[in-house]
Amino acid sequence: MIRRSTLVLLVVFIALAAGVIFWQRAQDKKGTPEATATPGSQLLFHFKGNISGLRLERSSGGVLELGRDSQGAWTLIYPKAEATDVAAVEGAVSQLISTPVISTLEEGPSMEEAGLATPAYRLLINLDDGSQVIVNVGNETPTSSGYYVLASGQGMSIVSKFSLEPILKLLDNPPVKLPDTPTPSDQNMPGVDLTPVP
């Protein structure tokens, strides 16, 4: 048989547990405040269509232009190349479209201080619906973790440096697909027997 004190403690425990559950449900019904964007949780771009082309210009010199061919594969328009490294372009574009906003600046440095009066880079993104998004990329932030940017229809923001750099580096290393390296069996090497010896 259960002792009376044990039974009383069991009833008190059940009552406390029920009280906690009801209190938590009441808090949830009150409505939790809507989630506000924390730094890094917003994306810079919200495209309604697909990207059909990109043009990247560097103020100190250099232009890169990419477009999609009739099959939807990326091609290097400028500088002209025999073949495009589609995987390199897809990787850079993937990081570009998922660029997180570290901070939106309502009050911040001037356009000159942020490097946006004369941006270091200008990115023109063409969408398949005919619209175009222009992104001006200014200076690195003092912590070197981001860039000041000004995108079409948006205010000044700081975005992740590591999401923008893959596309910016394409200026110095265009996505040119190199020809496949022939294997020794493909080469005609007179006087050399490539048959394995048992």
Side-chain angles (χ1 to χ4, degrees), residues 81-133:
E82 290 290 320
T84 304
D85 184 354
V86 176
V89 176
E90 286 289 348
V93 169
S94 176
Q95 284 195 301
L96 174 70
I97 62 176
S98 61
T99 300
V101 173
I102 296 172
S103 179
T104 302
L105 304 174
E106 292 177 16
E107 292 182 26
S110 68
M111 295 288 276
E112 289 80 18
E113 292 171 333
L116 292 168
T118 308
Y121 298 94
R122 186 173 186 201
L123 179 62
L124 293 92
I125 303 169
N126 298 316
L127 302 177
D128 58 4
D129 65 359
S131 62
Q132 186 178 64
V133 176

mmCIF file of all heavy atoms in Angstrom, residues 81-133:
data_model
loop_
_atom_site.group_PDB
_atom_site.id
_atom_site.type_symbol
_atom_site.label_atom_id
_atom_site.label_comp_id
_atom_site.label_asym_id
_atom_site.label_seq_id
_atom_site.Cartn_x
_atom_site.Cartn_y
_atom_site.Cartn_z
ATOM 1 N N ALA A 81 36.285 32.561 -75.024
ATOM 2 C CA ALA A 81 37.011 31.317 -74.743
ATOM 3 C C ALA A 81 36.407 30.186 -75.557
ATOM 4 O O ALA A 81 35.238 30.244 -75.945
ATOM 5 C CB ALA A 81 36.941 30.983 -73.260
ATOM 6 N N GLU A 82 37.217 29.173 -75.800
ATOM 7 C CA GLU A 82 36.748 27.987 -76.531
ATOM 8 C C GLU A 82 35.656 27.261 -75.747
ATOM 9 O O GLU A 82 34.649 26.867 -76.301
ATOM 10 C CB GLU A 82 37.914 27.032 -76.790
ATOM 11 C CG GLU A 82 38.915 27.533 -77.806
ATOM 12 C CD GLU A 82 38.354 27.551 -79.224
ATOM 13 O OE1 GLU A 82 37.634 26.610 -79.597
ATOM 14 O OE2 GLU A 82 38.630 28.527 -79.929
ATOM 15 N N ALA A 83 35.892 27.064 -74.472
ATOM 16 C CA ALA A 83 34.933 26.347 -73.625
ATOM 17 C C ALA A 83 34.910 26.991 -72.244
ATOM 18 O O ALA A 83 35.898 27.553 -71.784
ATOM 19 C CB ALA A 83 35.319 24.877 -73.517
ATOM 20 N N THR A 84 33.767 26.907 -71.586
ATOM 21 C CA THR A 84 33.575 27.510 -70.269
ATOM 22 C C THR A 84 33.552 26.425 -69.205
ATOM 23 O O THR A 84 32.932 25.374 -69.399
ATOM 24 C CB THR A 84 32.248 28.283 -70.232
ATOM 25 O OG1 THR A 84 32.252 29.243 -71.292
ATOM 26 C CG2 THR A 84 32.046 28.995 -68.915
ATOM 27 N N ASP A 85 34.204 26.696 -68.092
ATOM 28 C CA ASP A 85 34.159 25.791 -66.944
ATOM 29 C C ASP A 85 32.832 26.037 -66.225
ATOM 30 O O ASP A 85 32.729 26.889 -65.348
ATOM 31 C CB ASP A 85 35.348 26.041 -66.032
ATOM 32 C CG ASP A 85 35.421 25.061 -64.874
ATOM 33 O OD1 ASP A 85 34.482 24.255 -64.698
ATOM 34 O OD2 ASP A 85 36.428 25.108 -64.141
ATOM 35 N N VAL A 86 31.817 25.313 -66.638
ATOM 36 C CA VAL A 86 30.464 25.517 -66.134
ATOM 37 C C VAL A 86 30.392 25.275 -64.626
ATOM 38 O O VAL A 86 29.699 25.995 -63.910
ATOM 39 C CB VAL A 86 29.462 24.615 -66.889
ATOM 40 C CG1 VAL A 86 28.065 24.733 -66.318
ATOM 41 C CG2 VAL A 86 29.458 24.973 -68.375
ATOM 42 N N ALA A 87 31.124 24.306 -64.131
ATOM 43 C CA ALA A 87 31.099 24.003 -62.693
ATOM 44 C C ALA A 87 31.617 25.184 -61.877
ATOM 45 O O ALA A 87 31.053 25.511 -60.823
ATOM 46 C CB ALA A 87 31.917 22.755 -62.400
ATOM 47 N N ALA A 88 32.661 25.834 -62.351
ATOM 48 C CA ALA A 88 33.206 27.004 -61.640
ATOM 49 C C ALA A 88 32.188 28.139 -61.618
ATOM 50 O O ALA A 88 32.006 28.810 -60.598
ATOM 51 C CB ALA A 88 34.509 27.457 -62.284
ATOM 52 N N VAL A 89 31.517 28.350 -62.743
ATOM 53 C CA VAL A 89 30.514 29.413 -62.816
ATOM 54 C C VAL A 89 29.329 29.083 -61.914
ATOM 55 O O VAL A 89 28.866 29.931 -61.148
ATOM 56 C CB VAL A 89 30.037 29.636 -64.269
ATOM 57 C CG1 VAL A 89 28.919 30.669 -64.318
ATOM 58 C CG2 VAL A 89 31.199 30.064 -65.152
ATOM 59 N N GLU A 90 28.832 27.858 -61.993
ATOM 60 C CA GLU A 90 27.687 27.451 -61.167
ATOM 61 C C GLU A 90 27.999 27.614 -59.679
ATOM 62 O O GLU A 90 27.163 28.081 -58.912
ATOM 63 C CB GLU A 90 27.281 26.009 -61.458
ATOM 64 C CG GLU A 90 26.568 25.813 -62.767
ATOM 65 C CD GLU A 90 25.156 26.370 -62.809
ATOM 66 O OE1 GLU A 90 24.592 26.729 -61.758
ATOM 67 O OE2 GLU A 90 24.622 26.468 -63.922
ATOM 68 N N GLY A 91 29.211 27.238 -59.275
ATOM 69 C CA GLY A 91 29.598 27.385 -57.870
ATOM 70 C C GLY A 91 29.625 28.840 -57.432
ATOM 71 O O GLY A 91 29.116 29.193 -56.365
ATOM 72 N N ALA A 92 30.199 29.700 -58.266
ATOM 73 C CA ALA A 92 30.282 31.126 -57.935
ATOM 74 C C ALA A 92 28.900 31.770 -57.914
ATOM 75 O O ALA A 92 28.581 32.550 -57.016
ATOM 76 C CB ALA A 92 31.199 31.833 -58.924
ATOM 77 N N VAL A 93 28.055 31.427 -58.888
ATOM 78 C CA VAL A 93 26.708 31.995 -58.948
ATOM 79 C C VAL A 93 25.870 31.491 -57.775
ATOM 80 O O VAL A 93 25.100 32.250 -57.182
ATOM 81 C CB VAL A 93 26.029 31.664 -60.301
ATOM 82 C CG1 VAL A 93 24.549 32.011 -60.282
ATOM 83 C CG2 VAL A 93 26.734 32.400 -61.426
ATOM 84 N N SER A 94 26.042 30.244 -57.413
ATOM 85 C CA SER A 94 25.313 29.689 -56.274
ATOM 86 C C SER A 94 25.645 30.450 -54.992
ATOM 87 O O SER A 94 24.765 30.775 -54.201
ATOM 88 C CB SER A 94 25.648 28.211 -56.119
ATOM 89 O OG SER A 94 25.031 27.686 -54.987
ATOM 90 N N GLN A 95 26.918 30.734 -54.793
ATOM 91 C CA GLN A 95 27.299 31.499 -53.606
ATOM 92 C C GLN A 95 26.802 32.927 -53.693
ATOM 93 O O GLN A 95 26.413 33.517 -52.691
ATOM 94 C CB GLN A 95 28.807 31.460 -53.399
ATOM 95 C CG GLN A 95 29.265 30.137 -52.825
ATOM 96 C CD GLN A 95 30.665 30.218 -52.282
ATOM 97 O OE1 GLN A 95 31.588 30.543 -52.998
ATOM 98 N NE2 GLN A 95 30.807 29.914 -51.016
ATOM 99 N N LEU A 96 26.812 33.484 -54.897
ATOM 100 C CA LEU A 96 26.345 34.854 -55.079
ATOM 101 C C LEU A 96 24.879 34.995 -54.701
ATOM 102 O O LEU A 96 24.507 35.904 -53.962
ATOM 103 C CB LEU A 96 26.561 35.298 -56.532
ATOM 104 C CG LEU A 96 25.991 36.670 -56.891
ATOM 105 C CD1 LEU A 96 26.793 37.766 -56.204
ATOM 106 C CD2 LEU A 96 25.986 36.873 -58.388
ATOM 107 N N ILE A 97 24.031 34.093 -55.200
ATOM 108 C CA ILE A 97 22.598 34.240 -54.929
ATOM 109 C C ILE A 97 22.228 33.913 -53.487
ATOM 110 O O ILE A 97 21.145 34.258 -53.041
ATOM 111 C CB ILE A 97 21.730 33.413 -55.909
ATOM 112 C CG1 ILE A 97 22.012 31.936 -55.789
ATOM 113 C CG2 ILE A 97 21.914 33.898 -57.320
ATOM 114 C CD1 ILE A 97 21.117 31.065 -56.648
ATOM 115 N N SER A 98 23.136 33.294 -52.761
ATOM 116 C CA SER A 98 22.867 33.021 -51.347
ATOM 117 C C SER A 98 23.719 33.922 -50.441
ATOM 118 O O SER A 98 24.007 33.564 -49.309
ATOM 119 C CB SER A 98 23.115 31.549 -51.032
ATOM 120 O OG SER A 98 24.459 31.209 -51.285
ATOM 121 N N THR A 99 24.079 35.104 -50.952
ATOM 122 C CA THR A 99 24.890 36.047 -50.183
ATOM 123 C C THR A 99 24.102 36.570 -48.987
ATOM 124 O O THR A 99 23.064 37.220 -49.167
ATOM 125 C CB THR A 99 25.328 37.233 -51.068
ATOM 126 O OG1 THR A 99 26.097 36.740 -52.155
ATOM 127 C CG2 THR A 99 26.143 38.232 -50.286
ATOM 128 N N PRO A 100 24.576 36.314 -47.772
ATOM 129 C CA PRO A 100 23.856 36.817 -46.603
ATOM 130 C C PRO A 100 24.196 38.283 -46.311
ATOM 131 O O PRO A 100 25.314 38.729 -46.524
ATOM 132 C CB PRO A 100 24.352 35.923 -45.464
ATOM 133 C CG PRO A 100 25.700 35.476 -45.904
ATOM 134 C CD PRO A 100 25.678 35.433 -47.405
ATOM 135 N N VAL A 101 23.182 39.003 -45.859
ATOM 136 C CA VAL A 101 23.377 40.377 -45.415
ATOM 137 C C VAL A 101 23.811 40.320 -43.956
ATOM 138 O O VAL A 101 23.096 39.785 -43.111
ATOM 139 C CB VAL A 101 22.081 41.200 -45.559
ATOM 140 C CG1 VAL A 101 22.240 42.580 -44.952
ATOM 141 C CG2 VAL A 101 21.672 41.294 -47.010
ATOM 142 N N ILE A 102 24.981 40.835 -43.675
ATOM 143 C CA ILE A 102 25.462 40.872 -42.299
ATOM 144 C C ILE A 102 24.761 41.991 -41.548
ATOM 145 O O ILE A 102 24.357 41.830 -40.405
ATOM 146 C CB ILE A 102 26.995 41.049 -42.260
ATOM 147 C CG1 ILE A 102 27.676 39.835 -42.889
ATOM 148 C CG2 ILE A 102 27.487 41.279 -40.839
ATOM 149 C CD1 ILE A 102 29.170 39.985 -43.081
ATOM 150 N N SER A 103 24.596 43.129 -42.228
ATOM 151 C CA SER A 103 23.964 44.274 -41.585
ATOM 152 C C SER A 103 23.385 45.206 -42.644
ATOM 153 O O SER A 103 24.000 45.418 -43.688
ATOM 154 C CB SER A 103 24.998 45.025 -40.742
ATOM 155 O OG SER A 103 24.430 46.143 -40.117
ATOM 156 N N THR A 104 22.200 45.751 -42.356
ATOM 157 C CA THR A 104 21.616 46.785 -43.199
ATOM 158 C C THR A 104 21.901 48.106 -42.506
ATOM 159 O O THR A 104 21.602 48.269 -41.321
ATOM 160 C CB THR A 104 20.096 46.573 -43.346
ATOM 161 O OG1 THR A 104 19.888 45.275 -43.902
ATOM 162 C CG2 THR A 104 19.480 47.613 -44.243
ATOM 163 N N LEU A 105 22.482 49.036 -43.236
ATOM 164 C CA LEU A 105 22.931 50.292 -42.626
ATOM 165 C C LEU A 105 21.954 51.419 -42.926
ATOM 166 O O LEU A 105 21.842 51.867 -44.057
ATOM 167 C CB LEU A 105 24.324 50.658 -43.155
ATOM 168 C CG LEU A 105 25.404 49.602 -42.963
ATOM 169 C CD1 LEU A 105 26.686 50.016 -43.662
ATOM 170 C CD2 LEU A 105 25.656 49.383 -41.489
ATOM 171 N N GLU A 106 21.236 51.844 -41.891
ATOM 172 C CA GLU A 106 20.386 53.021 -42.050
ATOM 173 C C GLU A 106 21.240 54.269 -41.842
ATOM 174 O O GLU A 106 21.068 55.256 -42.532
ATOM 175 C CB GLU A 106 19.228 52.961 -41.076
ATOM 176 C CG GLU A 106 18.266 51.830 -41.420
ATOM 177 C CD GLU A 106 17.139 51.706 -40.428
ATOM 178 O OE1 GLU A 106 16.907 52.654 -39.647
ATOM 179 O OE2 GLU A 106 16.482 50.646 -40.444
ATOM 180 N N GLU A 107 22.098 54.201 -40.874
ATOM 181 C CA GLU A 107 23.069 55.267 -40.647
ATOM 182 C C GLU A 107 24.420 54.594 -40.609
ATOM 183 O O GLU A 107 24.656 53.677 -39.843
ATOM 184 C CB GLU A 107 22.804 55.975 -39.316
ATOM 185 C CG GLU A 107 21.530 56.765 -39.295
ATOM 186 C CD GLU A 107 21.336 57.476 -37.970
ATOM 187 O OE1 GLU A 107 22.329 57.762 -37.281
ATOM 188 O OE2 GLU A 107 20.177 57.741 -37.631
ATOM 189 N N GLY A 108 25.277 55.017 -41.437
ATOM 190 C CA GLY A 108 26.583 54.384 -41.496
ATOM 191 C C GLY A 108 27.577 55.318 -42.131
ATOM 192 O O GLY A 108 27.374 56.534 -42.149
ATOM 193 N N PRO A 109 28.596 54.769 -42.696
ATOM 194 C CA PRO A 109 29.593 55.616 -43.333
ATOM 195 C C PRO A 109 29.004 56.288 -44.572
ATOM 196 O O PRO A 109 28.004 55.842 -45.127
ATOM 197 C CB PRO A 109 30.699 54.629 -43.715
ATOM 198 C CG PRO A 109 30.024 53.309 -43.807
ATOM 199 C CD PRO A 109 28.901 53.356 -42.819
ATOM 200 N N SER A 110 29.649 57.362 -44.985
ATOM 201 C CA SER A 110 29.209 58.044 -46.203
ATOM 202 C C SER A 110 29.509 57.150 -47.401
ATOM 203 O O SER A 110 30.252 56.171 -47.298
ATOM 204 C CB SER A 110 29.937 59.376 -46.336
ATOM 205 O OG SER A 110 31.317 59.141 -46.586
ATOM 206 N N MET A 111 28.933 57.518 -48.542
ATOM 207 C CA MET A 111 29.168 56.745 -49.770
ATOM 208 C C MET A 111 30.658 56.728 -50.104
ATOM 209 O O MET A 111 31.174 55.715 -50.563
ATOM 210 C CB MET A 111 28.375 57.342 -50.935
ATOM 211 C CG MET A 111 26.869 57.253 -50.759
ATOM 212 S SD MET A 111 26.259 55.584 -50.937
ATOM 213 C CE MET A 111 26.114 55.496 -52.698
ATOM 214 N N GLU A 112 31.344 57.823 -49.856
ATOM 215 C CA GLU A 112 32.783 57.897 -50.131
ATOM 216 C C GLU A 112 33.553 56.978 -49.197
ATOM 217 O O GLU A 112 34.447 56.243 -49.611
ATOM 218 C CB GLU A 112 33.298 59.339 -49.997
ATOM 219 C CG GLU A 112 32.840 60.263 -51.104
ATOM 220 C CD GLU A 112 31.404 60.775 -50.907
ATOM 221 O OE1 GLU A 112 30.874 60.702 -49.781
ATOM 222 O OE2 GLU A 112 30.807 61.224 -51.902
ATOM 223 N N GLU A 113 33.212 57.022 -47.903
ATOM 224 C CA GLU A 113 33.914 56.184 -46.918
ATOM 225 C C GLU A 113 33.679 54.694 -47.171
ATOM 226 O O GLU A 113 34.567 53.884 -46.939
ATOM 227 C CB GLU A 113 33.457 56.532 -45.495
ATOM 228 C CG GLU A 113 33.887 57.904 -45.032
ATOM 229 C CD GLU A 113 33.240 58.292 -43.714
ATOM 230 O OE1 GLU A 113 32.131 57.799 -43.400
ATOM 231 O OE2 GLU A 113 33.850 59.096 -43.000
ATOM 232 N N ALA A 114 32.483 54.353 -47.649
ATOM 233 C CA ALA A 114 32.154 52.952 -47.916
ATOM 234 C C ALA A 114 32.692 52.498 -49.268
ATOM 235 O O ALA A 114 32.635 51.315 -49.596
ATOM 236 C CB ALA A 114 30.644 52.742 -47.864
ATOM 237 N N GLY A 115 33.228 53.430 -50.058
ATOM 238 C CA GLY A 115 33.753 53.075 -51.368
ATOM 239 C C GLY A 115 32.669 52.884 -52.412
ATOM 240 O O GLY A 115 32.892 52.250 -53.442
ATOM 241 N N LEU A 116 31.484 53.432 -52.157
ATOM 242 C CA LEU A 116 30.375 53.250 -53.088
ATOM 243 C C LEU A 116 30.157 54.448 -54.005
ATOM 244 O O LEU A 116 29.393 54.357 -54.964
ATOM 245 C CB LEU A 116 29.092 52.931 -52.314
ATOM 246 C CG LEU A 116 29.117 51.569 -51.625
ATOM 247 C CD1 LEU A 116 27.958 51.431 -50.648
ATOM 248 C CD2 LEU A 116 29.096 50.451 -52.651
ATOM 249 N N ALA A 117 30.823 55.575 -53.721
ATOM 250 C CA ALA A 117 30.733 56.718 -54.630
ATOM 251 C C ALA A 117 31.381 56.341 -55.968
ATOM 252 O O ALA A 117 30.870 56.660 -57.036
ATOM 253 C CB ALA A 117 31.396 57.938 -54.016
ATOM 254 N N THR A 118 32.500 55.666 -55.885
ATOM 255 C CA THR A 118 33.168 55.076 -57.049
ATOM 256 C C THR A 118 33.442 53.628 -56.672
ATOM 257 O O THR A 118 34.490 53.314 -56.123
ATOM 258 C CB THR A 118 34.494 55.806 -57.363
ATOM 259 O OG1 THR A 118 34.235 57.195 -57.458
ATOM 260 C CG2 THR A 118 35.099 55.291 -58.652
ATOM 261 N N PRO A 119 32.486 52.719 -56.938
ATOM 262 C CA PRO A 119 32.625 51.344 -56.448
ATOM 263 C C PRO A 119 33.801 50.605 -57.081
ATOM 264 O O PRO A 119 34.156 50.848 -58.236
ATOM 265 C CB PRO A 119 31.304 50.690 -56.834
ATOM 266 C CG PRO A 119 30.705 51.558 -57.865
ATOM 267 C CD PRO A 119 31.260 52.929 -57.691
ATOM 268 N N ALA A 120 34.384 49.716 -56.289
ATOM 269 C CA ALA A 120 35.491 48.892 -56.779
ATOM 270 C C ALA A 120 34.997 47.913 -57.837
ATOM 271 O O ALA A 120 35.697 47.630 -58.806
ATOM 272 C CB ALA A 120 36.136 48.137 -55.617
ATOM 273 N N TYR A 121 33.781 47.401 -57.662
ATOM 274 C CA TYR A 121 33.188 46.452 -58.596
ATOM 275 C C TYR A 121 31.749 46.858 -58.872
ATOM 276 O O TYR A 121 31.067 47.402 -58.000
ATOM 277 C CB TYR A 121 33.165 45.029 -58.022
ATOM 278 C CG TYR A 121 34.514 44.458 -57.722
ATOM 279 C CD1 TYR A 121 35.067 44.563 -56.450
ATOM 280 C CD2 TYR A 121 35.233 43.786 -58.705
ATOM 281 C CE1 TYR A 121 36.309 44.024 -56.167
ATOM 282 C CE2 TYR A 121 36.475 43.246 -58.425
ATOM 283 C CZ TYR A 121 37.006 43.376 -57.158
ATOM 284 O OH TYR A 121 38.228 42.832 -56.875
ATOM 285 N N ARG A 122 31.317 46.533 -60.070
ATOM 286 C CA ARG A 122 29.914 46.718 -60.441
ATOM 287 C C ARG A 122 29.449 45.421 -61.081
ATOM 288 O O ARG A 122 30.071 44.912 -62.009
ATOM 289 C CB ARG A 122 29.771 47.865 -61.419
ATOM 290 C CG ARG A 122 28.341 48.186 -61.731
ATOM 291 C CD ARG A 122 28.252 49.435 -62.555
ATOM 292 N NE ARG A 122 26.863 49.775 -62.701
ATOM 293 C CZ ARG A 122 26.398 50.541 -63.650
ATOM 294 N NH1 ARG A 122 27.227 51.062 -64.514
ATOM 295 N NH2 ARG A 122 25.122 50.791 -63.726
ATOM 296 N N LEU A 123 28.368 44.876 -60.554
ATOM 297 C CA LEU A 123 27.830 43.613 -61.029
ATOM 298 C C LEU A 123 26.436 43.864 -61.597
ATOM 299 O O LEU A 123 25.575 44.419 -60.920
ATOM 300 C CB LEU A 123 27.759 42.616 -59.874
ATOM 301 C CG LEU A 123 27.209 41.237 -60.153
ATOM 302 C CD1 LEU A 123 28.061 40.498 -61.173
ATOM 303 C CD2 LEU A 123 27.131 40.429 -58.872
ATOM 304 N N LEU A 124 26.252 43.486 -62.851
ATOM 305 C CA LEU A 124 24.950 43.605 -63.500
ATOM 306 C C LEU A 124 24.404 42.198 -63.681
ATOM 307 O O LEU A 124 25.033 41.366 -64.339
ATOM 308 C CB LEU A 124 25.085 44.303 -64.854
ATOM 309 C CG LEU A 124 25.505 45.766 -64.774
ATOM 310 C CD1 LEU A 124 27.005 45.873 -64.872
ATOM 311 C CD2 LEU A 124 24.850 46.564 -65.852
ATOM 312 N N ILE A 125 23.255 41.938 -63.078
ATOM 313 C CA ILE A 125 22.645 40.608 -63.113
ATOM 314 C C ILE A 125 21.385 40.700 -63.967
ATOM 315 O O ILE A 125 20.455 41.428 -63.630
ATOM 316 C CB ILE A 125 22.291 40.124 -61.690
ATOM 317 C CG1 ILE A 125 23.537 40.128 -60.803
ATOM 318 C CG2 ILE A 125 21.633 38.752 -61.736
ATOM 319 C CD1 ILE A 125 23.248 39.913 -59.335
ATOM 320 N N ASN A 126 21.374 39.989 -65.081
ATOM 321 C CA ASN A 126 20.221 39.963 -65.977
ATOM 322 C C ASN A 126 19.355 38.758 -65.643
ATOM 323 O O ASN A 126 19.864 37.649 -65.499
ATOM 324 C CB ASN A 126 20.666 39.885 -67.433
ATOM 325 C CG ASN A 126 21.477 41.095 -67.833
ATOM 326 O OD1 ASN A 126 21.128 42.217 -67.506
ATOM 327 N ND2 ASN A 126 22.573 40.871 -68.522
ATOM 328 N N LEU A 127 18.052 39.000 -65.547
ATOM 329 C CA LEU A 127 17.112 37.932 -65.249
ATOM 330 C C LEU A 127 16.345 37.551 -66.505
ATOM 331 O O LEU A 127 16.232 38.354 -67.444
ATOM 332 C CB LEU A 127 16.152 38.367 -64.144
ATOM 333 C CG LEU A 127 16.819 38.777 -62.828
ATOM 334 C CD1 LEU A 127 15.787 39.267 -61.836
ATOM 335 C CD2 LEU A 127 17.618 37.630 -62.251
ATOM 336 N N ASP A 128 15.805 36.341 -66.521
ATOM 337 C CA ASP A 128 15.125 35.853 -67.717
ATOM 338 C C ASP A 128 13.829 36.594 -68.022
ATOM 339 O O ASP A 128 13.297 36.477 -69.111
ATOM 340 C CB ASP A 128 14.897 34.343 -67.652
ATOM 341 C CG ASP A 128 14.089 33.897 -66.453
ATOM 342 O OD1 ASP A 128 13.611 34.753 -65.681
ATOM 343 O OD2 ASP A 128 13.936 32.681 -66.271
ATOM 344 N N ASP A 129 13.317 37.396 -67.086
ATOM 345 C CA ASP A 129 12.120 38.192 -67.364
ATOM 346 C C ASP A 129 12.470 39.544 -67.979
ATOM 347 O O ASP A 129 11.601 40.381 -68.197
ATOM 348 C CB ASP A 129 11.285 38.370 -66.098
ATOM 349 C CG ASP A 129 11.989 39.184 -65.014
ATOM 350 O OD1 ASP A 129 13.143 39.614 -65.225
ATOM 351 O OD2 ASP A 129 11.376 39.386 -63.946
ATOM 352 N N GLY A 130 13.767 39.770 -68.252
ATOM 353 C CA GLY A 130 14.212 41.014 -68.878
ATOM 354 C C GLY A 130 14.654 42.081 -67.900
ATOM 355 O O GLY A 130 15.193 43.109 -68.300
ATOM 356 N N SER A 131 14.440 41.865 -66.616
ATOM 357 C CA SER A 131 14.853 42.864 -65.625
ATOM 358 C C SER A 131 16.340 42.716 -65.319
ATOM 359 O O SER A 131 16.975 41.707 -65.650
ATOM 360 C CB SER A 131 14.024 42.738 -64.352
ATOM 361 O OG SER A 131 14.222 41.479 -63.754
ATOM 362 N N GLN A 132 16.874 43.758 -64.695
ATOM 363 C CA GLN A 132 18.300 43.765 -64.374
ATOM 364 C C GLN A 132 18.484 44.282 -62.949
ATOM 365 O O GLN A 132 17.822 45.227 -62.524
ATOM 366 C CB GLN A 132 19.050 44.664 -65.354
ATOM 367 C CG GLN A 132 20.549 44.620 -65.192
ATOM 368 C CD GLN A 132 21.251 45.497 -66.217
ATOM 369 O OE1 GLN A 132 21.085 46.705 -66.211
ATOM 370 N NE2 GLN A 132 22.025 44.877 -67.095
ATOM 371 N N VAL A 133 19.386 43.650 -62.218
ATOM 372 C CA VAL A 133 19.745 44.078 -60.871
ATOM 373 C C VAL A 133 21.188 44.572 -60.944
ATOM 374 O O VAL A 133 22.053 43.889 -61.487
ATOM 375 C CB VAL A 133 19.623 42.915 -59.858
ATOM 376 C CG1 VAL A 133 20.093 43.337 -58.484
ATOM 377 C CG2 VAL A 133 18.198 42.402 -59.819
#
